[in-house]
Amino acid sequence: MDAFQGLAQFTDSQKTLTQVIGQTVPLIDAQTSDQRKIDEASLALGAYLKMVTDIVSQASGARSLRVTHQDANCTLATETWRFCIAEKSVTVNINSQNRTVWVVTLTSADGEPTGLSDYPAVQIAGYQPLFIPELSDSTAGRYAWYYQNEHGEPLTADIAQSLAARTVELPGMQILERQDAVSTVYNYP
């Protein structure tokens, strides 16, 4: 299971629920005899507890959200992280053979990003990205990848140029911390 559905529901209804709890619960004390007031407060608290319990339950699976101590280095160094992507055919050495393959290079304008668990990559549907150390410089924020399909065949220009779907992957980025992330696309000549 995955806790994102529960978190989304909680985030969406938290303001209204907090307001209802604030209007109903303070009216209840040891001398309250109005059953309607008690039921309204109970309903509001019950809804809140149900959502929190669902999130905890959903997050308890082995492959799900974990709340852990966050290291001080787990954030991007700046509020924005600017990068550009270049794609072209390049001859690279693959298994001791020079092969002309489609290479995608992601270059950061802000230097090496911090707070990621691995190098940023551009994913192309149906292909596995393979890092090219010779064309990359992580300290400068430059990452080059070539791609292979499930049969181990490298992606070439004649196929790559017809594949539109590209996804930038930032492994390990704290997405809950960066909910305000906004992406912008520029077309460089």
Side-chain angles (χ1 to χ4, degrees), residues 2-187:
D2 143 357
F4 287 103
Q5 179 64 34
L7 286 169
Q9 179 186 17
F10 182 80
T11 302
D12 205 24
S13 58
Q14 186 262 343
K15 182 178 178 183
T16 303
L17 197 51
T18 302
Q19 183 180 15
V20 171
I21 288 172
Q23 293 170 348
T24 58
V25 174
L27 302 176
I28 308 300
D29 61 20
Q31 297 174 4
T32 303
S33 60
D34 184 347
Q35 189 61 44
R36 185 183 56 77
K37 288 182 181 179
I38 294 171
D39 290 345
E40 287 174 355
S42 175
L43 186 63
L45 284 174
Y48 185 87
L49 290 172
K50 171 83 169 97
M51 279 192 269
V52 171
T53 303
D54 287 348
I55 292 168
V56 170
S57 175
Q58 292 166 356
S60 65
R63 297 179 61 203
S64 60
L65 175 73
R66 295 272 188 248
V67 178
T68 60
H69 171 71
Q70 182 173 332
D71 186 80
N73 294 326
C74 287
T75 57
L76 293 176
T78 62
E79 282 299 308
T80 59
W81 184 54
R82 298 171 297 139
F83 61 89
C84 65
I85 297 171
E87 301 188 22
K88 65 180 181 177
S89 288
V90 176
T91 301
V92 296
N93 189 310
I94 302 172
N95 299 327
S96 301
Q97 278 190 319
N98 286 332
R99 305 275 308 265
T100 301
V101 298
W102 193 248
V103 172
V104 176
T105 305
L106 186 149
T107 304
S108 170
D110 301 317
E112 182 178 17
T114 59
L116 302 180
S117 61
D118 203 353
Y119 298 138
V122 176
Q123 299 290 335
I124 299 176
Y127 290 85
Q128 176 69 34
L130 297 164
F131 188 67
I132 309 172
E134 299 81 16
L135 299 178
S136 303
D137 180 357
S138 63
T139 59
R142 186 176 60 249
Y143 309 91
W145 305 87
Y146 77 94
Y147 299 81
Q148 285 185 345
N149 65 15
E150 61 187 11
H151 305 292
E153 299 163 349
L155 181 62
T156 55
D158 57 326
I159 297 170
Q161 292 177 346
S162 66
L163 300 173
R166 304 285 195 270
T167 304
V168 175
E169 182 179 84
L170 303 173
M173 185 175 89
Q174 299 294 325
I175 62 168
L176 295 178
E177 178 183 298
R178 303 289 300 180
Q179 290 184 62
D180 62 342
V182 176
S183 63
T184 305
V185 176
Y186 296 97
N187 185 15

